[in-house]
Amino acid sequence: MEKVNLVEKLALFDDYWSPRIVGELNGQYVKLAKLKGEFVWHHHEAEDELFLVIRGSLTMRLPEKEVVVGEGEFLIVPRGVEHCPVAGEEVHVLLFEPKLTAHTGNVRTEMTVKELDWI
Amino acid sequence: MEKVNLVEKLALFDDYWSPRIVGELNGQYVKLAKLKGEFVWHHHEAEDELFLVIRGSLTMRLPEKEVVVGEGEFLIVPRGVEHCPVAGEEVHVLLFEPKLTAHTGNVRTEMTVKELDWI
């Protein structure tokens, strides 16, 4: 049983929109990701998704509003809700979600990463 | 759907070893707690438990070692593993665990909080 240092793990990769797994508990994964630019609109049929911002400022576009999530803040996007994450500058996030969650949800695009790596 | 600011939520309470609920997803709760002093040795029969340190330094006593978890670090204590959290100075943590988890696990003491509040 080893602790995980978020900044050290984030230093291990540089690509955007490609979450890495850093923990597993109760059928859920803890993931880290670096985001920059605009992702794709998508939703998750059966999974709620938590975004905790470690660094930077994440804009979450939602059907009727946008929420700007800053450092030390989190947003839970409930299942079924369309959302599109946008990062003007580089953003580092921690994600909590079920092991089966695909990060692009119901949408398959060239941004979809099929197999996530543990780091 | 509103974002949650960890520092703002932590400012809403002062008591130790009394987690508050700040989010719910996929049958799990996100909780915040302030810790100081020594808790009780306990384990959780069927739940893994994540401790993410927001402020301070948490010592987790385990059967064969201790792990010191600092700011920006997390530790997952797997189900069944005896553990005793100790905070020399005040520590603020984010917890992620199934909704049914009792914070003192298999042990009921005067420190056990039966009904957790949402803040």
Side-chain angles (χ1 to χ4, degrees):
Chain A
M1 192 185 328
E2 301 297 333
K3 67 180 178 182
V4 171
N5 182 294
L6 300 181
V7 169
E8 286 176 12
K9 290 292 189 187
L10 282 160
L12 298 179
F13 65 99
D14 285 320
D15 46 338
Y16 299 123
W17 308 110
S18 183
R20 282 1 185 237
I21 301 167
V22 293
E24 178 180 351
L25 71 165
N26 305 306
Q28 319 282 311
Y29 277 146
V30 184
K31 301 174 187 173
L32 293 173
K34 294 183 174 179
L35 315 180
K36 190 172 183 185
E38 183 171 335
F39 203 51
V40 289
W41 278 95
H42 67 283
H43 69 273
H44 305 276
E45 291 293 346
E47 302 116 14
D48 314 316
E49 194 174 25
L50 180 146
F51 298 80
L52 171 64
V53 174
I54 308 297
R55 184 179 129 186
S57 179
L58 175 67
T59 299
M60 189 66 73
R61 292 189 185 145
L62 299 162
E64 298 192 354
K65 65 176 178 179
E66 314 189 319
V67 179
V68 178
V69 190
E71 289 183 11
E73 298 182 333
F74 72 78
L75 181 71
I76 295 172
V77 179
R79 59 195 67 191
V81 175
E82 291 287 331
H83 56 287
C84 179
V86 179
E89 301 295 327
E90 182 169 311
V91 174
H92 298 176
V93 292
L94 181 150
L95 308 168
F96 276 133
E97 50 195 10
K99 290 175 69 172
L100 295 178
T101 300
H103 65 146
T104 54
N106 62 315
V107 177
R108 290 293 174 274
T109 77
E110 61 186 15
M111 295 176 103
T112 305
V113 179
K114 291 188 187 64
E115 294 286 335
L116 300 189
D117 290 330
W118 272 87
I119 58 172
Chain B
M1 192 187 327
E2 302 296 333
K3 68 180 178 181
V4 171
N5 182 296
L6 300 180
V7 169
E8 286 176 11
K9 290 292 189 188
L10 283 159
L12 298 179
F13 64 99
D14 285 319
D15 46 338
Y16 299 123
W17 307 110
S18 182
R20 274 23 177 223
I21 302 166
V22 292
E24 178 180 351
L25 72 165
N26 305 306
Q28 320 282 310
Y29 277 146
V30 183
K31 303 174 187 173
L32 292 174
K34 294 182 175 180
L35 315 179
K36 191 172 183 185
E38 184 171 334
F39 203 51
V40 290
W41 278 95
H42 66 284
H43 69 272
H44 306 276
E45 292 293 345
E47 302 116 14
D48 314 317
E49 193 173 25
L50 180 146
F51 298 80
L52 171 64
V53 174
I54 307 297
R55 184 179 128 186
S57 179
L58 175 67
T59 298
M60 189 65 73
R61 292 189 185 144
L62 298 162
E64 299 194 353
K65 65 175 176 180
E66 332 189 301
V67 179
V68 178
V69 189
E71 290 182 11
E73 297 182 333
F74 72 77
L75 182 70
I76 295 173
V77 179
R79 59 194 69 190
V81 174
E82 290 287 331
H83 57 286
C84 179
V86 178
E89 301 294 326
E90 182 169 310
V91 175
H92 298 176
V93 291
L94 180 151
L95 307 168
F96 187 56
E97 52 194 9
K99 289 175 67 171
L100 295 178
T101 301
H103 65 147
T104 54
N106 63 314
V107 178
R108 291 290 175 274
T109 78
E110 60 187 16
M111 296 176 103
T112 305
V113 180
K114 292 188 186 65
E115 295 286 335
L116 300 188
D117 290 330
W118 272 87
I119 58 171

